Amino acid sequence: MCGTCGAHGTQAPLSVGGTRIVIVGKGGVGKSTVTALLARLFARGGARVIAIDADEQRNLGATLGVDLETLAATVPVSAAGDYVEEKTGARPGEGAGGMLRLNPDTADIVDRLSVAGPDGVRLLVMGGVQHAGGGCLCPENALLAAAIAGMRLRHHEVILMDTHAGVEHFGRALARGFDSAVVVVEPTYNAAQVGVETARLARELGIEDVHLVVNRARGRADCERVLAHIELLGGFTFSTIHTLPFDDKVLETEPSVEDLLDDSEIARAATVLSQRLLAGDHADDLVVAR
């Protein structure tokens, strides 16, 4: 069954407890870059970070700076047939119309399927359909949803999930149980439209802490343009609104964010975002886009 300045270094201070953060938005707006920057910043600040790549394109590992040899040896959840069957009762591609265990014991998924990345970040890759007609991903989705919901975070632990384009992960409830959502947009109407839709779905799933990130902004006018689009789309109340500047260094150093971390405009801006994500109560910082 399917049921605030960045002038004091680029490290994120830790909150008193663990947190789960999902990164959402339209394809191509820079979700993987934002996820990788946050993961590395949190880890450098002393957090135990688990970065989940739930995008079928599987770009997060390279963006984090995981070496090619390790990436080549990484086994995605969708390819770990024995593990998926052990936990859910169905092998990858065989879930359509079948009976699945939707509450499998996944306490060992990070130990068995994740790989180590820079700064101690653990990378867990979801994967996707590997061949045309490859079948239903219900077993893998059930497993990942149960794994995320079942992770009992200790102090100074952070889960970040990079999602694929659009809103399908909300339909599959993969984002259920997350504490915060980061909605990434670029300064275009189409990106703002998807951003508002994902923000509303996040709230429907019970995620109250929803942040807007205007990525690749060339100035204040780009942020104002996005807010004007959001107003036309009916408005949305975000916990905070952030701007990440267009930075040529991102293209010069891609795919990894490694060389951005020590001295770049985007890393300094991402540090502010990381601090606000772990700040707890945002009541005094409420920003309303209407």
PDB file of all heavy atoms in Angstrom, residues 53 58 61 66-77 79-80 112-116 123-127 130:
ATOM      1  N   ASP A  53      20.443  12.925  -0.741  1.00  0.00           N
ATOM      2  CA  ASP A  53      20.234  13.317  -2.134  1.00  0.00           C
ATOM      3  C   ASP A  53      19.001  12.583  -2.651  1.00  0.00           C
ATOM      4  O   ASP A  53      19.078  11.424  -3.050  1.00  0.00           O
ATOM      5  CB  ASP A  53      21.463  12.959  -2.974  1.00  0.00           C
ATOM      6  CG  ASP A  53      21.391  13.560  -4.374  1.00  0.00           C
ATOM      7  OD1 ASP A  53      20.321  14.075  -4.735  1.00  0.00           O
ATOM      8  OD2 ASP A  53      22.395  13.504  -5.100  1.00  0.00           O
ATOM      9  N   ARG A  58      21.174  13.030  -8.922  1.00  0.00           N
ATOM     10  CA  ARG A  58      22.278  12.645  -8.028  1.00  0.00           C
ATOM     11  C   ARG A  58      23.502  13.560  -8.161  1.00  0.00           C
ATOM     12  O   ARG A  58      24.625  13.113  -8.336  1.00  0.00           O
ATOM     13  CB  ARG A  58      22.681  11.185  -8.279  1.00  0.00           C
ATOM     14  CG  ARG A  58      21.598  10.208  -7.895  1.00  0.00           C
ATOM     15  CD  ARG A  58      22.096   8.790  -7.891  1.00  0.00           C
ATOM     16  NE  ARG A  58      22.287   8.251  -9.211  1.00  0.00           N
ATOM     17  CZ  ARG A  58      22.828   7.064  -9.469  1.00  0.00           C
ATOM     18  NH1 ARG A  58      23.257   6.303  -8.490  1.00  0.00           N
ATOM     19  NH2 ARG A  58      22.961   6.646 -10.702  1.00  0.00           N
ATOM     20  N   GLY A  61      26.420  14.752  -4.257  1.00  0.00           N
ATOM     21  CA  GLY A  61      27.731  14.252  -3.832  1.00  0.00           C
ATOM     22  C   GLY A  61      28.868  15.058  -4.419  1.00  0.00           C
ATOM     23  O   GLY A  61      29.782  15.485  -3.703  1.00  0.00           O
ATOM     24  N   VAL A  66      32.561  15.332  -2.551  1.00  0.00           N
ATOM     25  CA  VAL A  66      32.931  13.928  -2.390  1.00  0.00           C
ATOM     26  C   VAL A  66      33.774  13.511  -3.590  1.00  0.00           C
ATOM     27  O   VAL A  66      33.443  13.831  -4.735  1.00  0.00           O
ATOM     28  CB  VAL A  66      31.673  13.038  -2.276  1.00  0.00           C
ATOM     29  CG1 VAL A  66      32.066  11.567  -2.132  1.00  0.00           C
ATOM     30  CG2 VAL A  66      30.814  13.477  -1.100  1.00  0.00           C
ATOM     31  N   ASP A  67      34.885  12.790  -3.346  1.00  0.00           N
ATOM     32  CA  ASP A  67      35.792  12.439  -4.436  1.00  0.00           C
ATOM     33  C   ASP A  67      35.144  11.437  -5.380  1.00  0.00           C
ATOM     34  O   ASP A  67      34.240  10.687  -5.013  1.00  0.00           O
ATOM     35  CB  ASP A  67      37.108  11.886  -3.885  1.00  0.00           C
ATOM     36  CG  ASP A  67      36.918  10.583  -3.136  1.00  0.00           C
ATOM     37  OD1 ASP A  67      36.933   9.517  -3.781  1.00  0.00           O
ATOM     38  OD2 ASP A  67      36.757  10.614  -1.895  1.00  0.00           O
ATOM     39  N   LEU A  68      35.627  11.419  -6.619  1.00  0.00           N
ATOM     40  CA  LEU A  68      35.015  10.607  -7.667  1.00  0.00           C
ATOM     41  C   LEU A  68      35.056   9.117  -7.354  1.00  0.00           C
ATOM     42  O   LEU A  68      34.115   8.377  -7.669  1.00  0.00           O
ATOM     43  CB  LEU A  68      35.711  10.877  -9.008  1.00  0.00           C
ATOM     44  CG  LEU A  68      35.523  12.285  -9.579  1.00  0.00           C
ATOM     45  CD1 LEU A  68      36.298  12.437 -10.886  1.00  0.00           C
ATOM     46  CD2 LEU A  68      34.047  12.587  -9.797  1.00  0.00           C
ATOM     47  N   GLU A  69      36.117   8.661  -6.734  1.00  0.00           N
ATOM     48  CA  GLU A  69      36.227   7.237  -6.401  1.00  0.00           C
ATOM     49  C   GLU A  69      35.149   6.833  -5.402  1.00  0.00           C
ATOM     50  O   GLU A  69      34.515   5.776  -5.553  1.00  0.00           O
ATOM     51  CB  GLU A  69      37.610   6.935  -5.838  1.00  0.00           C
ATOM     52  CG  GLU A  69      37.841   5.451  -5.552  1.00  0.00           C
ATOM     53  CD  GLU A  69      39.264   5.179  -5.068  1.00  0.00           C
ATOM     54  OE1 GLU A  69      40.096   6.113  -5.101  1.00  0.00           O
ATOM     55  OE2 GLU A  69      39.526   4.041  -4.662  1.00  0.00           O
ATOM     56  N   THR A  70      34.936   7.673  -4.414  1.00  0.00           N
ATOM     57  CA  THR A  70      33.899   7.376  -3.426  1.00  0.00           C
ATOM     58  C   THR A  70      32.520   7.426  -4.063  1.00  0.00           C
ATOM     59  O   THR A  70      31.660   6.576  -3.800  1.00  0.00           O
ATOM     60  CB  THR A  70      33.965   8.373  -2.258  1.00  0.00           C
ATOM     61  OG1 THR A  70      35.250   8.261  -1.631  1.00  0.00           O
ATOM     62  CG2 THR A  70      32.882   8.093  -1.227  1.00  0.00           C
ATOM     63  N   LEU A  71      32.288   8.421  -4.927  1.00  0.00           N
ATOM     64  CA  LEU A  71      31.000   8.521  -5.599  1.00  0.00           C
ATOM     65  C   LEU A  71      30.719   7.292  -6.454  1.00  0.00           C
ATOM     66  O   LEU A  71      29.592   6.791  -6.498  1.00  0.00           O
ATOM     67  CB  LEU A  71      30.953   9.776  -6.466  1.00  0.00           C
ATOM     68  CG  LEU A  71      30.788  11.112  -5.742  1.00  0.00           C
ATOM     69  CD1 LEU A  71      30.845  12.258  -6.743  1.00  0.00           C
ATOM     70  CD2 LEU A  71      29.489  11.155  -4.967  1.00  0.00           C
ATOM     71  N   ALA A  72      31.745   6.805  -7.126  1.00  0.00           N
ATOM     72  CA  ALA A  72      31.574   5.631  -7.978  1.00  0.00           C
ATOM     73  C   ALA A  72      31.200   4.395  -7.170  1.00  0.00           C
ATOM     74  O   ALA A  72      30.515   3.493  -7.671  1.00  0.00           O
ATOM     75  CB  ALA A  72      32.850   5.372  -8.776  1.00  0.00           C
ATOM     76  N   ALA A  73      31.644   4.350  -5.927  1.00  0.00           N
ATOM     77  CA  ALA A  73      31.378   3.195  -5.072  1.00  0.00           C
ATOM     78  C   ALA A  73      30.096   3.349  -4.256  1.00  0.00           C
ATOM     79  O   ALA A  73      29.705   2.424  -3.542  1.00  0.00           O
ATOM     80  CB  ALA A  73      32.556   2.967  -4.129  1.00  0.00           C
ATOM     81  N   THR A  74      29.441   4.493  -4.369  1.00  0.00           N
ATOM     82  CA  THR A  74      28.227   4.747  -3.592  1.00  0.00           C
ATOM     83  C   THR A  74      27.069   3.906  -4.123  1.00  0.00           C
ATOM     84  O   THR A  74      26.822   3.860  -5.327  1.00  0.00           O
ATOM     85  CB  THR A  74      27.850   6.235  -3.662  1.00  0.00           C
ATOM     86  OG1 THR A  74      28.927   7.021  -3.162  1.00  0.00           O
ATOM     87  CG2 THR A  74      26.595   6.513  -2.837  1.00  0.00           C
ATOM     88  N   VAL A  75      26.355   3.249  -3.221  1.00  0.00           N
ATOM     89  CA  VAL A  75      25.193   2.446  -3.600  1.00  0.00           C
ATOM     90  C   VAL A  75      23.932   3.217  -3.231  1.00  0.00           C
ATOM     91  O   VAL A  75      23.628   3.405  -2.041  1.00  0.00           O
ATOM     92  CB  VAL A  75      25.184   1.083  -2.885  1.00  0.00           C
ATOM     93  CG1 VAL A  75      23.942   0.282  -3.274  1.00  0.00           C
ATOM     94  CG2 VAL A  75      26.443   0.298  -3.213  1.00  0.00           C
ATOM     95  N   PRO A  76      23.174   3.699  -4.223  1.00  0.00           N
ATOM     96  CA  PRO A  76      21.923   4.396  -3.905  1.00  0.00           C
ATOM     97  C   PRO A  76      20.911   3.439  -3.279  1.00  0.00           C
ATOM     98  O   PRO A  76      20.972   2.216  -3.491  1.00  0.00           O
ATOM     99  CB  PRO A  76      21.433   4.882  -5.273  1.00  0.00           C
ATOM    100  CG  PRO A  76      22.613   4.778  -6.188  1.00  0.00           C
ATOM    101  CD  PRO A  76      23.439   3.652  -5.665  1.00  0.00           C
ATOM    102  N   VAL A  77      19.977   3.997  -2.536  1.00  0.00           N
ATOM    103  CA  VAL A  77      18.922   3.184  -1.948  1.00  0.00           C
ATOM    104  C   VAL A  77      18.175   2.415  -3.033  1.00  0.00           C
ATOM    105  O   VAL A  77      17.833   1.239  -2.871  1.00  0.00           O
ATOM    106  CB  VAL A  77      17.946   4.077  -1.146  1.00  0.00           C
ATOM    107  CG1 VAL A  77      16.750   3.273  -0.652  1.00  0.00           C
ATOM    108  CG2 VAL A  77      18.668   4.733   0.029  1.00  0.00           C
ATOM    109  N   ALA A  79      19.225   1.120  -5.639  1.00  0.00           N
ATOM    110  CA  ALA A  79      19.999  -0.002  -6.180  1.00  0.00           C
ATOM    111  C   ALA A  79      20.341  -1.034  -5.116  1.00  0.00           C
ATOM    112  O   ALA A  79      20.919  -2.075  -5.433  1.00  0.00           O
ATOM    113  CB  ALA A  79      21.286   0.510  -6.826  1.00  0.00           C
ATOM    114  N   ALA A  80      19.991  -0.761  -3.874  1.00  0.00           N
ATOM    115  CA  ALA A  80      20.303  -1.680  -2.776  1.00  0.00           C
ATOM    116  C   ALA A  80      19.154  -2.666  -2.621  1.00  0.00           C
ATOM    117  O   ALA A  80      18.410  -2.654  -1.623  1.00  0.00           O
ATOM    118  CB  ALA A  80      20.543  -0.900  -1.484  1.00  0.00           C
ATOM    119  N   ARG A 112      24.811   1.623   6.878  1.00  0.00           N
ATOM    120  CA  ARG A 112      24.957   0.636   5.809  1.00  0.00           C
ATOM    121  C   ARG A 112      25.025   1.236   4.410  1.00  0.00           C
ATOM    122  O   ARG A 112      25.663   0.657   3.518  1.00  0.00           O
ATOM    123  CB  ARG A 112      23.815  -0.384   5.884  1.00  0.00           C
ATOM    124  CG  ARG A 112      23.953  -1.324   7.078  1.00  0.00           C
ATOM    125  CD  ARG A 112      22.779  -2.274   7.214  1.00  0.00           C
ATOM    126  NE  ARG A 112      22.620  -3.174   6.084  1.00  0.00           N
ATOM    127  CZ  ARG A 112      21.704  -4.156   6.050  1.00  0.00           C
ATOM    128  NH1 ARG A 112      20.886  -4.328   7.081  1.00  0.00           N
ATOM    129  NH2 ARG A 112      21.617  -4.937   4.996  1.00  0.00           N
ATOM    130  N   LEU A 113      24.377   2.385   4.190  1.00  0.00           N
ATOM    131  CA  LEU A 113      24.272   2.884   2.821  1.00  0.00           C
ATOM    132  C   LEU A 113      24.887   4.262   2.593  1.00  0.00           C
ATOM    133  O   LEU A 113      25.006   4.683   1.445  1.00  0.00           O
ATOM    134  CB  LEU A 113      22.804   2.912   2.380  1.00  0.00           C
ATOM    135  CG  LEU A 113      22.095   1.555   2.275  1.00  0.00           C
ATOM    136  CD1 LEU A 113      20.670   1.752   1.774  1.00  0.00           C
ATOM    137  CD2 LEU A 113      22.852   0.594   1.363  1.00  0.00           C
ATOM    138  N   SER A 114      25.271   4.970   3.636  1.00  0.00           N
ATOM    139  CA  SER A 114      25.840   6.302   3.416  1.00  0.00           C
ATOM    140  C   SER A 114      27.352   6.207   3.223  1.00  0.00           C
ATOM    141  O   SER A 114      27.983   5.212   3.562  1.00  0.00           O
ATOM    142  CB  SER A 114      25.520   7.228   4.590  1.00  0.00           C
ATOM    143  OG  SER A 114      26.280   6.890   5.737  1.00  0.00           O
ATOM    144  N   VAL A 115      27.916   7.296   2.666  1.00  0.00           N
ATOM    145  CA  VAL A 115      29.368   7.394   2.495  1.00  0.00           C
ATOM    146  C   VAL A 115      29.836   8.685   3.155  1.00  0.00           C
ATOM    147  O   VAL A 115      29.061   9.633   3.333  1.00  0.00           O
ATOM    148  CB  VAL A 115      29.785   7.371   1.010  1.00  0.00           C
ATOM    149  CG1 VAL A 115      29.411   6.049   0.362  1.00  0.00           C
ATOM    150  CG2 VAL A 115      29.163   8.544   0.251  1.00  0.00           C
ATOM    151  N   ALA A 116      31.111   8.728   3.500  1.00  0.00           N
ATOM    152  CA  ALA A 116      31.671   9.900   4.163  1.00  0.00           C
ATOM    153  C   ALA A 116      32.121  10.926   3.138  1.00  0.00           C
ATOM    154  O   ALA A 116      32.748  10.596   2.132  1.00  0.00           O
ATOM    155  CB  ALA A 116      32.842   9.491   5.047  1.00  0.00           C
ATOM    156  N   LEU A 123      26.748  11.210   3.331  1.00  0.00           N
ATOM    157  CA  LEU A 123      25.893  11.343   2.147  1.00  0.00           C
ATOM    158  C   LEU A 123      25.089  10.071   1.949  1.00  0.00           C
ATOM    159  O   LEU A 123      25.650   8.978   1.848  1.00  0.00           O
ATOM    160  CB  LEU A 123      26.745  11.615   0.905  1.00  0.00           C
ATOM    161  CG  LEU A 123      26.005  11.590  -0.436  1.00  0.00           C
ATOM    162  CD1 LEU A 123      25.014  12.740  -0.539  1.00  0.00           C
ATOM    163  CD2 LEU A 123      27.005  11.629  -1.598  1.00  0.00           C
ATOM    164  N   LEU A 124      23.765  10.221   1.888  1.00  0.00           N
ATOM    165  CA  LEU A 124      22.859   9.109   1.605  1.00  0.00           C
ATOM    166  C   LEU A 124      22.142   9.432   0.299  1.00  0.00           C
ATOM    167  O   LEU A 124      21.483  10.474   0.188  1.00  0.00           O
ATOM    168  CB  LEU A 124      21.852   8.941   2.743  1.00  0.00           C
ATOM    169  CG  LEU A 124      20.866   7.772   2.640  1.00  0.00           C
ATOM    170  CD1 LEU A 124      21.596   6.434   2.702  1.00  0.00           C
ATOM    171  CD2 LEU A 124      19.834   7.858   3.769  1.00  0.00           C
ATOM    172  N   VAL A 125      22.269   8.555  -0.696  1.00  0.00           N
ATOM    173  CA  VAL A 125      21.737   8.809  -2.033  1.00  0.00           C
ATOM    174  C   VAL A 125      20.484   7.979  -2.261  1.00  0.00           C
ATOM    175  O   VAL A 125      20.500   6.758  -2.104  1.00  0.00           O
ATOM    176  CB  VAL A 125      22.788   8.487  -3.119  1.00  0.00           C
ATOM    177  CG1 VAL A 125      22.207   8.722  -4.513  1.00  0.00           C
ATOM    178  CG2 VAL A 125      24.037   9.334  -2.909  1.00  0.00           C
ATOM    179  N   MET A 126      19.404   8.640  -2.640  1.00  0.00           N
ATOM    180  CA  MET A 126      18.158   7.947  -2.932  1.00  0.00           C
ATOM    181  C   MET A 126      18.226   7.193  -4.252  1.00  0.00           C
ATOM    182  O   MET A 126      17.867   6.047  -4.358  1.00  0.00           O
ATOM    183  CB  MET A 126      17.009   8.976  -2.979  1.00  0.00           C
ATOM    184  CG  MET A 126      15.677   8.421  -3.441  1.00  0.00           C
ATOM    185  SD  MET A 126      15.014   7.188  -2.331  1.00  0.00           S
ATOM    186  CE  MET A 126      13.570   6.677  -3.271  1.00  0.00           C
ATOM    187  N   GLY A 127      18.698   7.866  -5.324  1.00  0.00           N
ATOM    188  CA  GLY A 127      18.739   7.237  -6.639  1.00  0.00           C
ATOM    189  C   GLY A 127      17.397   7.374  -7.331  1.00  0.00           C
ATOM    190  O   GLY A 127      16.549   8.182  -6.958  1.00  0.00           O
ATOM    191  N   GLN A 130      16.619   3.418 -13.067  1.00  0.00           N
ATOM    192  CA  GLN A 130      17.895   3.276 -13.759  1.00  0.00           C
ATOM    193  C   GLN A 130      17.740   2.889 -15.224  1.00  0.00           C
ATOM    194  O   GLN A 130      18.651   3.079 -16.018  1.00  0.00           O
ATOM    195  CB  GLN A 130      18.751   2.234 -13.030  1.00  0.00           C
ATOM    196  CG  GLN A 130      19.071   2.647 -11.597  1.00  0.00           C
ATOM    197  CD  GLN A 130      19.857   1.579 -10.857  1.00  0.00           C
ATOM    198  OE1 GLN A 130      19.930   0.425 -11.291  1.00  0.00           O
ATOM    199  NE2 GLN A 130      20.443   1.953  -9.747  1.00  0.00           N
TER     200      GLN A 130
END
